[in-house]
Amino acid sequence: VAVDANGADLGPREVAAGAAMAAADGVRVLVFGPAEEIGDTAGAAEVIDAPVSIAKSADPARTVRSTPEASIVQAARAVAAGEAGALVSAGGTGAALAASLFNIKRARGIYRPALALPLPTPARARPVTLLDVGANTEVRPEHLVQFAFMGAAFAQAMLGIPRPRVALLSNGEEAQRGSETVLEAHRELARLTGGSGRKDSAAALLEFIGNIEGGQVPTGAADVVVTDGFTGNIALKLIEGVSGTVLRAIRDAALSSPRSRVGGALMRPALGSFRAAIDPEAQGGAYLLGLRRLGVIPHGRFTHRGFAQAILRANWGAADDLVERTHRTLHAAGALKVSPVPERPGAAAGAAST
Amino acid sequence: VAVDANGADLGPREVAAGAAMAAADGVRVLVFGPAEEIGDTAGAAEVIDAPVSIAKSADPARTVRSTPEASIVQAARAVAAGEAGALVSAGGTGAALAASLFNIKRARGIYRPALALPLPTPARARPVTLLDVGANTEVRPEHLVQFAFMGAAFAQAMLGIPRPRVALLSNGEEAQRGSETVLEAHRELARLTGGSGRKDSAAALLEFIGNIEGGQVPTGAADVVVTDGFTGNIALKLIEGVSGTVLRAIRDAALSSPRSRVGGALMRPALGSFRAAIDPEAQGGAYLLGLRRLGVIPHGRFTHRGFAQAILRANWGAADDLVERTHRTLHAAGALKVSPVPERPGAAAGAAST
């Protein structure tokens, strides 16, 4: 696994400490970052000196091209060259996405890569996978259709859900509710997984349960929730923001009187296990699907534990060959891109079209 | 105030009980619903027998036209005829919207009405107004621009915020992040409230603070959050769903051991005041803005307390002349529709164009 150590809130040493943990578990890890700063933190992981960070770039697509020495670009090139089976980037999502598209490139038959986030929910043991959470601000219906199968392959391989229930996120459960894009994706998903022709193969991979509303995301009504990157990013940030706000308000309530302070202290262990159940570090971060190799983008504020999880899961996805599994799923469903489709300039950052 | 009593989860008697509370407070209330079922629950409110409910209609626009005897249609007609100053509908949002567009009609210079929801947040005393939460699945930039001023006029008149901070909901705070529609609305709002020409009038009405992300909605970074009805509906349902899920998980944690049960009991009063602070019934429901008269759509699961709030606030909005205030705001900002714009057939349900 190739790891970009630049860009994390706690600095490259924290990422290197996570790499050391994963390396101690037997994963071969290449760490691209400032060798001097990392020092001996990386343990058994191999450090390649790459002090230049473009994690905060305002124009990642351009910066990736103009800065071949940047740590994320070197890490992505190592994956493209087969020196590593997967990429982990602790830096900016935009830079990681651009470097991956430019170097690792899209997998055969994929229109657009997507960012998938396994969301831990207190209501159930397995996370709910939400995609796209930010790679594609505008999408076409065929993109959403592919996201459905990409998300299902991910949930199957990485979360162990045999036949994931997949839903489109919309402003109503009824099939006729939603934007034009959602309505068309709905019809196409119903057709691909329904009674006609390829039923046995596509319907065996996932169960398309139609639309769900925002309120059904945390209840686990679906295993995979499909949306565009604009809505998905807003949804993800809302989920994080609302949980945080409610938990803070409850903590404040617990501190508001001597009586409730005692109550809060008595409840602390039980609340601790609830917090552990929804710990985002346990999921390793967001997963970049649809490239020729798997990418994992842990949250910049993670500690070494979260970075270690990201590397272990990236290694797991590479060993399981998630990319090939996704291709088989899309092929069986008849949802691969069959002919070259003109893309808007810049949208694919130079990725090959097959 | 004209009230449609059909469609509430707890039945027309619950709505009538709310109407009785508002009437006891001195509001003149006309209740349209099944007189036999309502009986004497309505107190000092006047009951007009209208037993036909179309609250659950799958095609509200058509049903409204074909069912003039429906309670929501009769209530909307009473408002259009000047017999009441505002509309309150306990039934389906779709039917209320269609009946309002068809009978009360859009206000002068408004492209599209929008549904605004004042969201109580634990972080601050005043609610955050989110619009559109479901009236318009697809929007153009000029619609979002009008929503910004409509929301600001609402927050000023109904929530007492002198110069509301208004933001666009997007997938990043930077001005260059967002869908094409959001980017164009951003430029236009910056222009209207910025340095050029009309600065003194438009900038005095609201402060345009740019984009906010989903996570900033519950923290109260903005007083008014503007988005399309697709995203807004998903956001609203997510906020409700996530708060509910977290609160349930904490209750479950409190019941998980004898020790935490004691803690939960001690914390109950403090948690009770937190629940009261985020009680949705206190806000009266969602507000239908952009019509010639104000509409209020309480949640179908409200109790009589929530329906009474909706009626009191509808009366308040009518007395304060929120519609005229909104018109002045849009006029001062130069954001009124100046020439007839062709609308997609059916999108405006027969509303007049000026």
Side-chain angles (χ1 to χ4, degrees):
Chain A
V1 177
V3 178
D4 169 22
N6 278 316
D9 293 358
L10 297 173
R13 284 175 70 90
E14 191 74 20
V15 183
M21 282 175 75
D25 269 8
V27 180
R28 186 168 164 261
V29 188
L30 309 177
V31 178
F32 296 80
E36 197 173 323
E37 199 177 335
I38 289 170
D40 57 1
T41 350
E46 186 182 333
V47 177
I48 296 96
D49 188 33
V52 177
S53 170
I54 57 168
K56 311 287 177 212
S57 164
D59 185 353
R62 178 176 305 197
T63 315
V64 157
R65 277 172 228 236
S66 64
T67 323
E69 70 277 22
S71 53
I72 179 64
V73 180
Q74 291 198 51
R77 274 210 310 271
V79 174
E83 293 160 32
L87 176 72
V88 172
S89 168
T93 303
L97 184 57
S100 301
L101 275 166
F102 194 57
N103 292 287
I104 305 176
K105 296 184 168 49
R106 284 180 293 169
R108 287 169 293 147
I110 298 279
Y111 293 103
R112 298 276 189 88
L115 262 183
L117 195 90
L119 281 168
T121 78
R124 33 179 274 161
R126 284 165 176 158
V128 172
T129 301
L130 177 65
L131 81 167
D132 174 19
V133 297
N136 307 279
T137 304
E138 319 251 8
V139 301
R140 294 197 302 262
E142 59 268 34
H143 301 160
L144 293 179
V145 169
Q146 285 201 337
F147 295 172
F149 289 100
M150 287 154 66
F154 172 83
Q156 207 178 63
M158 303 290 282
L159 306 174
I161 302 172
R163 185 167 171 257
R165 289 161 307 139
V166 177
L168 287 163
L169 187 56
S170 192
N171 58 335
E173 285 184 73
E174 306 87 347
Q176 72 275 18
R177 295 296 293 276
S179 63
E180 287 302 324
T181 307
V182 167
L183 295 181
E184 197 175 326
H186 190 116
R187 285 189 293 268
E188 183 64 5
L189 279 169
R191 189 183 71 78
L192 289 172
T193 60
S196 65
R198 294 175 175 275
K199 170 174 177 156
D200 293 338
S201 40
L205 299 165
L206 62 82
E207 181 189 355
F208 176 55
I209 61 169
N211 292 349
I212 63 169
E213 299 191 1
Q216 295 168 287
V217 176
T219 63
D223 300 306
V224 175
V225 178
V226 175
T227 188
D228 61 90
F230 177 81
T231 312
N233 184 275
I234 290 170
L236 169 62
K237 301 284 173 67
L238 263 176
I239 293 169
E240 293 173 349
V242 172
S243 333
T245 304
V246 173
L247 288 172
R248 269 192 305 280
I250 285 168
R251 191 195 55 202
D252 292 349
L255 296 172
S256 63
S257 77
R259 176 192 161 121
S260 60
R261 266 197 292 280
V262 173
L266 289 169
M267 275 184 65
R268 197 162 297 142
L271 287 178
S273 61
F274 163 65
R275 274 177 190 275
I278 60 163
D279 174 18
E281 294 204 6
Q283 300 306 325
Y287 291 76
L288 188 48
L289 307 178
L291 299 171
R292 294 184 189 184
R293 295 285 178 274
L294 178 62
V296 185
I297 307 184
H299 201 293
R301 64 160 188 257
F302 275 9
T303 68
H304 59 282
R305 282 180 41 248
F307 295 123
Q309 272 298 325
I311 297 166
L312 291 170
R313 285 169 176 250
N315 185 57
W316 184 4
D320 185 79
D321 211 348
L322 176 59
V323 171
E324 182 53 32
R325 187 194 283 255
T326 304
H327 184 84
R328 280 202 309 271
T329 301
L330 285 162
H331 179 75
L336 285 170
K337 186 169 71 168
V338 284
S339 61
V341 168
E343 291 273 334
R344 283 182 299 126
S353 61
T354 50
Chain B
V1 177
V3 178
D4 169 22
N6 278 316
D9 294 357
L10 296 173
R13 285 174 69 90
E14 191 74 20
V15 182
M21 283 175 74
D25 270 8
V27 181
R28 185 167 165 260
V29 189
L30 309 176
V31 178
F32 296 81
E36 197 173 326
E37 199 176 336
I38 290 170
D40 57 1
T41 351
E46 185 182 335
V47 178
I48 295 96
D49 189 33
V52 177
S53 171
I54 58 168
K56 310 288 179 212
S57 164
D59 186 352
R62 178 176 305 196
T63 315
V64 157
R65 278 172 229 233
S66 63
T67 323
E69 71 277 23
S71 53
I72 180 63
V73 180
Q74 291 199 50
R77 273 209 312 270
V79 174
E83 293 159 32
L87 177 72
V88 172
S89 168
T93 303
L97 184 58
S100 302
L101 275 166
F102 194 57
N103 292 287
I104 305 176
K105 297 185 168 48
R106 284 180 293 169
R108 286 168 294 148
I110 297 279
Y111 294 102
R112 298 275 189 88
L115 261 183
L117 195 90
L119 279 168
T121 78
R124 35 178 273 160
R126 284 166 176 155
V128 172
T129 301
L130 177 65
L131 80 166
D132 175 18
V133 297
N136 307 279
T137 304
E138 320 249 8
V139 300
R140 294 198 302 264
E142 59 269 33
H143 301 160
L144 293 179
V145 169
Q146 284 201 338
F147 295 172
F149 289 99
M150 287 155 65
F154 172 83
Q156 208 178 61
M158 302 290 282
L159 307 173
I161 302 172
R163 185 167 170 256
R165 290 161 307 139
V166 177
L168 286 163
L169 187 57
S170 192
N171 58 335
E173 286 183 72
E174 306 87 348
Q176 72 274 19
R177 294 296 292 276
S179 63
E180 287 303 323
T181 306
V182 167
L183 295 181
E184 198 175 326
H186 190 117
R187 285 190 293 269
E188 184 64 5
L189 279 168
R191 189 182 71 77
L192 289 173
T193 60
S196 65
R198 294 176 175 275
K199 170 171 178 156
D200 293 337
S201 41
L205 299 165
L206 62 83
E207 181 188 356
F208 176 55
I209 62 169
N211 292 349
I212 64 168
E213 298 191 1
Q216 296 168 285
V217 176
T219 64
D223 299 307
V224 176
V225 177
V226 174
T227 188
D228 61 89
F230 177 81
T231 312
N233 183 275
I234 290 171
L236 169 62
K237 301 285 174 67
L238 263 175
I239 292 169
E240 293 173 348
V242 172
S243 330
T245 304
V246 172
L247 288 173
R248 269 192 304 279
I250 285 168
R251 191 195 54 201
D252 292 349
L255 296 173
S256 63
S257 77
R259 176 192 161 121
S260 60
R261 266 196 293 279
V262 174
L266 289 169
M267 276 184 65
R268 197 163 297 144
L271 287 178
S273 60
F274 162 65
R275 275 179 190 274
I278 61 163
D279 174 18
E281 294 204 5
Q283 300 306 324
Y287 291 75
L288 188 47
L289 308 179
L291 299 171
R292 294 184 188 183
R293 294 287 178 273
L294 178 62
V296 186
I297 307 185
H299 201 295
R301 62 160 188 257
F302 275 9
T303 68
H304 59 282
R305 282 180 42 249
F307 294 123
Q309 272 298 326
I311 297 165
L312 290 170
R313 285 169 176 250
N315 186 57
W316 183 3
D320 185 78
D321 210 349
L322 176 60
V323 170
E324 182 53 32
R325 187 194 283 254
T326 304
H327 184 83
R328 281 200 310 271
T329 301
L330 285 161
H331 179 74
L336 285 169
K337 186 169 71 168
V338 283
S339 62
V341 169
E343 291 273 336
R344 285 184 298 125
S353 61
T354 50

